[in-house]
Amino acid sequence: MCVYYCLCRYRLRSKVEIESVTDDFSCWQRFGQVLTQKSSEEPDAASLGWGGGFDRSGQSSSQGNNCGWLWYRDPRLDCLGFRGIFPSNTTPPLVEADKETNEENYLLWRLEKGVAEGSAEIPKGEAVPLEYNLAGLNGISFDKGCYVGQELIARTHHRGVIRKRLLPLKFVNDSGKEVEQKVAPRSEVIDASSRKKAGTVTTALGSRGLGLLCLDEAFKGSLIIRGLDDVKVQTIKPEWWPAEWLSDQQEQTSTA
């Protein structure tokens, strides 16, 4: 619904009619394994990403195909699977019986991969795209387009000086057992010995979360939540991260 209102806001004087169909269609996500093979049954994801190809979903919609839209690979990471928009009163193709799951399980999967989405996790007007790893998630183009702050983002990217990044977090107690529902977004992550702030929890669900942390402090292994000294914070480097993201930071630290 928020997308509908945003579209209406920026329509300006264009002769375009915008109608909300949120009751008629639902968004689905297929996830749980790395789907890399292509077959006649798997969706063609060529229309996503910077390449831009034949948009079958757009054709399906414009021609009124009663099968709904098709599956398309999530452009951010292969491990996030496929997403599609289908009529709300039908089960999408390729969804096996008894394999539907709660949306919360997908959220946990995404948090474990270190991927934030939406204005609740990527604060509008505050977030620095490079700190939220959008350069590695097909979210920024450095060779086309113009936007507010483009020169700063491009200069920072090419210099490689990014001191904070969004990281997956796990919350545990002194014995290493996962701690559920004790940490809230905006909680401060601090070094247990120096009491120096290392960053902030941006998203929390159960014993998992995302945090924007200083890379100098993130992997020291002595992090806790301010005000909750019995809650330890374990940081996890996502497998999809380019090696230079940490090597560049280590080089900057040793030089300093």
Side-chain angles (χ1 to χ4, degrees), residues 62-201:
S62 64
Q63 293 183 353
N65 189 326
N66 59 9
C67 294
W69 293 5
L70 305 180
W71 290 108
Y72 282 83
R73 188 181 296 278
D74 194 306
R76 296 169 295 180
L77 293 174
D78 282 349
C79 64
L80 294 179
F82 296 87
R83 57 174 46 181
I85 301 176
F86 300 91
S88 298
N89 59 352
T90 64
T91 300
L94 306 181
V95 175
E96 300 177 23
D98 301 323
K99 288 296 180 69
E100 295 180 33
T101 187
N102 193 292
E103 185 177 357
E104 185 176 279
N105 292 326
Y106 170 68
L107 175 56
L108 284 171
W109 177 267
R110 182 168 57 76
L111 296 184
E112 290 174 1
K113 306 305 176 186
V115 179
E117 67 178 33
S119 58
E121 299 178 17
I122 307 176
K124 181 180 178 181
E126 300 177 20
V128 178
L130 295 176
E131 293 181 347
Y132 282 74
N133 306 323
L134 297 188
L137 294 170
N138 203 21
I140 305 175
S141 174
F142 292 100
D143 55 14
K144 69 176 185 178
C146 292
Y147 52 88
V148 175
Q150 180 186 24
E151 292 183 1
L152 174 62
I153 295 299
R155 184 167 62 249
T156 303
H157 170 71
H158 292 298
R159 287 180 176 177
V161 184
I162 302 169
R163 305 189 185 281
K164 296 188 293 183
R165 285 194 181 275
L166 193 75
L167 282 160
L169 306 178
K170 182 190 293 185
F171 310 119
V172 301
N173 59 21
D174 291 329
S175 62
K177 184 179 179 181
E178 296 186 12
V179 175
E180 300 275 348
Q181 311 298 341
K182 291 195 70 173
V183 179
R186 298 192 176 275
S187 298
E188 287 190 3
V189 179
I190 63 173
D191 183 276
S193 54
S194 68
R195 314 302 290 185
K196 178 182 177 181
K197 181 178 177 180
T200 305
V201 176

Side-chain angles (χ1 to χ4, degrees), residues 39-64:
S39 71
S40 59
E41 293 183 325
E42 291 294 351
D44 180 358
S47 66
L48 291 182
W50 299 117
F54 182 61
D55 186 359
R56 293 186 179 178
S57 64
Q59 183 194 50
S60 174
S61 174
S62 64
Q63 293 183 353

Side-chain angles (χ1 to χ4, degrees), residues 203-219:
T203 309
L205 179 63
S207 63
R208 301 292 180 139
L210 295 173
L212 189 63
L213 303 183
C214 296
L215 293 178
D216 285 344
E217 306 289 333
F219 298 100

Side-chain angles (χ1 to χ4, degrees), residues 30-37 42 78-82 109:
R30 291 177 60 214
F31 72 101
Q33 65 184 50
V34 179
L35 301 171
T36 57
Q37 73 280 7
E42 291 294 351
D78 282 349
C79 64
L80 294 179
F82 296 87
W109 177 267

